[in-house]
Amino acid sequence: MASVFEYAPAPESRSVVDIAPSYGLFIDGEFAEAADGKVFKTVSPSTEEVLSEVAQAGEADVDRAVKAARKAFEKWSALPGSERAKYLFRIARIIQERSRELAVLETLDNGKPIKETRDADLPLVAAHFFYYAGWADKLDHAGFGTNPRPLGVAGQVIPWNFPLLMLAWKIAPALATGNTVVLKPAETTPLSALFFADICRQAGLPKGVVNILPGYGDAGAALVAHPDVNKVAFTGSTAVGKEIARTVAGTRKKLTLELGGKGANIVFDDAPIDQAVEGIVTGIFFNQGQVCCAGSRLLVQESIQDELLDSLKRRLSTLRLGDPLDKNTDIGAINSAEQLARITALAEQGEAEGAERWSPACELPNSGYWFAPTLFTNVTQAHTIARDEIFGPVLSVLTFRTPDEAVAKANNTQYGLSAGIWTEKGSRILAVANKLRAGVVWSNTFNKFDPTSPFGGYKESGFGREGGRHGLEAYLDV
Amino acid sequence: MSEKTEKTEPRLSVFKTYKLYVGGKFPRSESGRVYEVTDSKGKWLANAPQSSRKDARDAVVAARKAFGGWSGATAYNRGQILYRVAEMLEGRREQFVREVADAEGLSKPKAAAVVDATIDRWVWYAGWTDKIAQVTGGANPVAGPFFNLSSPEPTGVVAVLAPQESSFLGLVSVLAPVIATGNTAVVIASEQSPLPALSLAEVLATSDVPGGVVNVLSGRTAEIAPSLAAHQDVNAIDLAGADEALAKELETAAADNLKRVLRPQPVDYFGTPGIERMTAFLETKTVWHPTGSLGASGSSY
């Protein structure tokens, strides 16, 4: 196929982004070194090139940032909502202006294709700030009483899969509701958050309202445990989420968690096959499968299994893996060596447990962290790859015969974040959507996001919702 | 005759054997234990069952079994059933006035006010069953050719530690919001004053509330609650009846399967409740579907 569809390389220019050799922590409106002088390197996952050296926050820095946020809270929360709104609108506009720069930066630091940062991440980031900007002066109409109050200092810990988007999900509603923020980005993707700090300065945001602390898990733990933090928001693994829930137990801190998932993508025999195939691909190969709501379990009705798998394999053979800065690239690099090792180990376990592994012919680059799109058939519910979140481009295929069986299998997981339904029959969509224990159900589509829509899980996928009117609740005293 | 001689002796009253309420049945505690319940002056009132961890687990099984039917019932139907509870309570008003007066050391008029408020609370929540989805759900105006709707759904089996001080009004104030929204409940009654809760179970059993939707345990809160907080098939826990130390222990245990936790907080049970006790045990499900167009504006009709 490659010979018919040859694509000339079309790399995005790196010159639009100017990465400094080193960055500090962003505390009280200033960049500063870590108290103990520690730094860490952030690398580009596609080339292993060191992009920059970043200050590594420790406990003392967390304390300093929380103090700054506490001090800023007084004035920030007292501002009229209409003024806070204008700051958020400014931020949203600056993000739009700088979106190409940020998209390239995010691709370099995270490894995801420029196609996705440019067309998915950045537009959504700006949209989130626009959406919540508009709420800032309308909170008494949000359905949480006539005088909804902010909580205080929000400690926020975000993952590396959507570094800037998760920042937007956390910071936009927090600021709109009058809280101040200390945010810890993930250790493998700190750069876009530090660029965001610069955007806050450009927007004239008062000092201390937003503080950014790049660092490792210990900094996150210190932030979560800090006695002067009033609200904790975390997106990441279920294991860490449980640890945080234990830390917060017995305190008055409000907690929201967005954790893991093992989404079922259910394809019925009357589904539009071509669209379903596209949806399956989006569901599990978007962002290299490093998505908590990924449709990592394909549940296909037995009668169309062969037809669907043939189409799916044919489609996977056209995916282009390689340089994330190339505009033609579909599959970028895995975020880190550590993550690659985890995916590799789970895939090997899948084989060891008897599932059948398949990948399209796919050449992996020599440097960087790469994993070919992978599909497992002959998977049963007992297999590890059908139960554990892999967080990589690995799809497990299971089959079912009746809608009831599909629902039972879809719900047979500790998680409850997302699910997909593919069928032409409207009543079946509604009936199945009703029975699925998941926070987001995509029918005849998958992996769609919008700032107006609440997102979040049932069961061990966490609690609370982000986005929409519902997302305000996490940051209000209600 | 003999009739005359008997009249001089006061009639010996019939004591009531209070029992648990699990899965629509009234079992004794599997542990065979009871504990003495006294009134506010220390006078013996009855023996209440002292539930064990096994009773708690049985109650969870019953609550899980009932969840599908109860959460799948129409909101209108649930409202009718909750209102029926109020009707039945009204009929037994005098009994509950007496029990609440004994339990909480209140004068008859004060106890009557408590019972009236409790009955009115059922009515209030009965009216919420078919409105909460409209208030907390709705259509989201997404920027794309999609139709998307957020609806609240019950979170599942909820363990409820009823308030210790308010044995009837407090109990209903924490129980009704849990089941109004379609959850099923395992309730630990007030430890000191469990009798109104155990009598409420008799009302529930005759009010069309399906068996297992509400399960009532009496006993030592600190003994029963930990197994509910750690139970992998319990989805949420209301810590209203826990003191600070117990609440922390239970919240920590609840993290194991990421239960939804409603922490204890000062509540004036006579005040009009907000909707927080309902939303605390609701999940929001957002369902997306393509519309095939960008909106109605292009229509020529």
Side-chain angles (χ1 to χ4, degrees):
Chain A
M1 244 182 252
S3 58
V4 182
F5 296 108
E6 249 344 309
Y7 281 78
E12 177 64 85
S13 169
R14 274 183 72 157
S15 67
V16 294
V17 57
D18 189 11
I19 302 176
S22 72
Y23 287 93
L25 312 168
F26 186 66
I27 299 175
D28 206 16
E30 306 291 339
F31 285 102
E33 285 179 21
D36 57 12
K38 277 194 186 169
V39 294
F40 66 101
K41 292 178 168 62
T42 185
V43 302
S44 177
S46 61
T47 58
E48 296 174 62
E49 163 203 0
V50 174
L51 295 172
S52 188
E53 205 170 67
V54 178
Q56 181 184 333
E59 211 166 318
D61 305 301
V62 167
D63 192 53
R64 210 152 60 83
V66 171
K67 281 203 173 83
R70 171 64 54 199
K71 196 163 143 251
F73 174 68
E74 222 168 287
K75 280 191 183 158
W76 179 249
S77 59
L79 271 187
S82 53
E83 294 299 301
R84 284 203 310 274
K86 285 193 280 183
Y87 282 112
L88 286 167
F89 278 121
R90 279 185 181 187
I91 290 172
R93 270 284 189 246
I94 297 173
I95 288 169
Q96 285 185 322
E97 283 168 4
R98 297 178 63 174
S99 71
R100 173 159 293 216
E101 173 194 359
L102 293 166
V104 173
L105 176 75
E106 194 83 317
T107 285
L108 283 169
D109 204 17
N110 170 283
K112 64 170 78 187
I114 186 74
K115 194 169 78 176
E116 291 178 5
T117 52
R118 183 194 60 194
D119 299 346
D121 294 56
L122 263 300
L124 277 171
V125 170
H128 265 88
F129 278 98
F130 274 113
Y131 177 75
Y132 279 110
W135 267 124
D137 54 357
K138 300 169 191 68
L139 293 174
D140 44 355
H141 297 285
F144 303 110
T146 51
N147 186 27
R149 309 292 308 152
L151 296 165
V153 175
Q156 308 177 320
V157 179
I158 58 169
W160 45 258
N161 59 341
F162 293 91
L164 200 54
L165 184 59
M166 291 302 102
L167 173 147
W169 282 24
K170 296 281 181 292
I171 291 185
L175 297 193
T177 46
N179 299 276
T180 55
V181 162
V182 179
L183 177 131
K184 188 198 89 70
E187 65 266 22
T188 59
T189 54
L191 293 183
S192 52
L194 294 165
F195 274 58
F196 179 80
D198 187 52
I199 289 171
C200 291
R201 292 217 292 200
Q202 288 185 339
L205 195 71
K207 290 178 177 197
V209 171
V210 168
N211 304 275
I212 309 277
L213 298 182
Y216 285 74
D218 60 328
L223 178 57
V224 167
H226 196 287
D228 207 26
V229 163
N230 306 94
K231 193 256 159 8
V232 171
F234 171 73
T235 296
S237 76
T238 291
V240 175
K242 290 180 181 180
E243 207 41 58
I244 290 175
R246 280 181 207 113
T247 304
V248 166
T251 70
R252 301 313 298 174
K253 289 175 194 172
K254 197 160 178 169
L255 176 64
T256 44
L257 300 170
E258 297 287 0
L259 309 174
K262 194 73 191 173
N265 213 348
I266 308 169
V267 184
F268 288 96
D269 56 7
D270 66 342
I273 294 288
D274 290 345
Q275 285 98 316
V277 165
E278 287 309 307
I280 294 162
V281 170
T282 309
I284 185 61
F285 299 114
F286 177 63
N287 208 35
Q288 295 69 248
Q290 302 166 135
V291 186
C292 50
C293 55
S296 53
R297 287 182 299 153
L298 174 62
L299 295 182
V300 52
Q301 197 151 14
E302 212 172 87
S303 52
I304 56 159
Q305 183 189 9
D306 293 344
E307 182 191 357
L308 183 77
L309 284 178
D310 285 349
S311 295
L312 183 59
K313 286 178 176 175
R314 195 162 54 237
R315 177 68 180 88
L316 293 190
S317 303
T318 67
L319 290 178
R320 288 181 299 275
L321 178 149
D323 181 3
L325 276 177
D326 192 314
K327 291 165 199 164
N328 297 321
T329 291
D330 298 304
I331 309 263
I334 300 300
N335 183 249
S336 64
E338 192 194 352
Q339 183 58 21
L340 178 60
R342 198 173 303 146
I343 298 168
T344 306
L346 278 161
E348 279 167 5
Q349 195 169 347
E351 274 184 294
E353 288 178 15
E356 205 170 296
R357 181 175 183 161
W358 182 90
S359 283
C362 185
E363 212 173 294
L364 301 183
N366 294 324
S367 60
Y369 319 124
W370 303 90
F371 198 90
T374 298
L375 186 150
F376 276 101
T377 49
N378 284 339
V379 180
T380 74
Q381 296 181 83
H383 281 131
T384 306
I385 51 169
R387 308 202 69 81
D388 288 7
E389 185 178 38
I390 298 177
F391 223 65
V394 180
L395 179 65
S396 298
V397 183
L398 298 95
T399 61
F400 67 90
R401 289 183 181 178
T402 64
D404 280 350
E405 190 188 344
V407 168
K409 284 185 170 167
N411 286 339
N412 181 16
T413 166
Q414 75 193 90
Y415 299 112
L417 189 50
S418 72
I421 305 169
W422 298 85
T423 172
E424 288 286 29
K425 197 170 177 195
S427 58
R428 183 179 288 153
I429 289 173
L430 297 176
V432 172
N434 241 329
K435 289 179 193 153
L436 291 172
R437 302 288 290 164
V440 190
V441 177
W442 287 291
S443 334
N444 293 329
T445 183
F446 209 93
N447 265 348
K448 292 289 180 292
F449 305 94
D450 192 274
T452 65
S453 300
F455 178 94
Y458 285 41
K459 300 198 270 186
E460 295 193 17
S461 288
F463 35 78
R465 293 294 179 270
E466 292 183 292
R469 183 190 71 83
H470 295 74
L472 293 167
E473 186 180 354
Y475 291 94
L476 291 172
D477 183 9
V478 292
Chain B
M1 298 259 302
S2 62
E3 254 183 29
K4 277 239 163 103
T5 55
E6 274 185 15
K7 247 184 191 167
T8 59
E9 294 286 317
R11 178 184 168 273
L12 191 63
S13 66
V14 177
F15 281 163
K16 177 167 156 188
T17 304
Y18 284 90
K19 297 200 202 171
L20 306 177
Y21 183 51
V22 175
K25 298 195 165 65
F26 294 93
R28 295 184 161 91
S29 168
E30 67 80 37
S31 66
R33 299 177 303 175
V34 293
Y35 70 109
E36 291 191 9
V37 178
T38 57
D39 69 10
S40 57
K41 297 191 186 75
K43 195 184 115 218
W44 183 84
L45 288 172
N47 293 320
Q50 189 182 334
S51 305
S52 64
R53 288 178 298 177
K54 175 73 165 86
D55 291 319
R57 290 199 296 273
D58 290 346
V60 173
V61 171
R64 174 60 61 197
K65 205 171 151 206
F67 178 67
W70 185 243
S71 60
T74 64
Y76 178 54
N77 184 221
R78 278 201 305 271
Q80 294 276 299
I81 292 174
L82 260 65
Y83 183 74
R84 179 74 178 154
V85 175
E87 287 181 345
M88 301 296 278
L89 278 176
E90 191 80 45
R92 295 223 213 173
R93 187 171 172 278
E94 294 315 314
Q95 175 197 341
F96 281 101
V97 169
R98 194 174 61 245
E99 284 189 332
V100 169
D102 284 345
E104 300 178 19
L106 300 176
S107 66
K108 278 280 154 67
K110 279 198 175 144
V114 168
V115 172
D116 290 346
T118 308
I119 297 170
D120 292 352
R121 184 121 317 152
W122 274 115
V123 175
W124 196 74
Y125 279 110
W128 262 115
T129 59
D130 52 5
K131 292 162 195 75
I132 189 73
Q134 291 176 311
V135 170
T136 64
N140 306 304
V142 296
F146 297 95
F147 168 74
N148 126 349
L149 210 56
S150 291
S151 327
E153 289 190 343
T155 199
V157 173
V158 181
V160 177
L161 279 57
Q164 299 297 342
E165 305 307 323
S166 183
S167 65
F168 193 48
L169 176 57
L171 167 79
V172 168
S173 299
V174 298
L175 171 61
V178 167
I179 63 167
T181 50
N183 296 289
T184 55
V186 176
V187 184
I188 306 177
S190 164
E191 184 169 331
Q192 287 295 315
S193 318
L195 302 187
L198 296 174
S199 291
L200 175 69
E202 295 163 16
V203 171
L204 296 172
T206 51
S207 303
D208 309 325
V209 178
V213 169
V214 177
N215 303 275
V216 182
L217 305 173
S218 57
R220 308 295 179 214
T221 304
E223 180 192 350
I224 313 163
S227 59
L228 291 173
H231 200 298
Q232 295 297 302
D233 204 29
V234 171
N235 302 93
I237 188 163
D238 182 342
L239 298 175
D243 62 30
E244 204 178 314
L246 181 62
K248 179 174 181 177
E249 179 199 328
L250 298 178
E251 188 175 350
T252 307
D256 254 2
N257 74 333
L258 293 163
K259 283 181 189 65
R260 282 62 180 143
V261 175
L262 186 59
R263 294 170 174 151
Q265 53 215 303
V267 184
D268 169 16
Y269 289 113
F270 273 102
T272 306
I275 63 168
E276 302 86 40
R277 294 205 99 86
M278 286 185 284
T279 55
F281 304 116
L282 287 172
E283 303 288 348
T284 297
K285 177 187 278 177
T286 302
V287 179
W288 294 64
H289 196 278
T291 58
S293 76
L294 276 167
S297 55
S299 168
S300 57
Y301 292 101

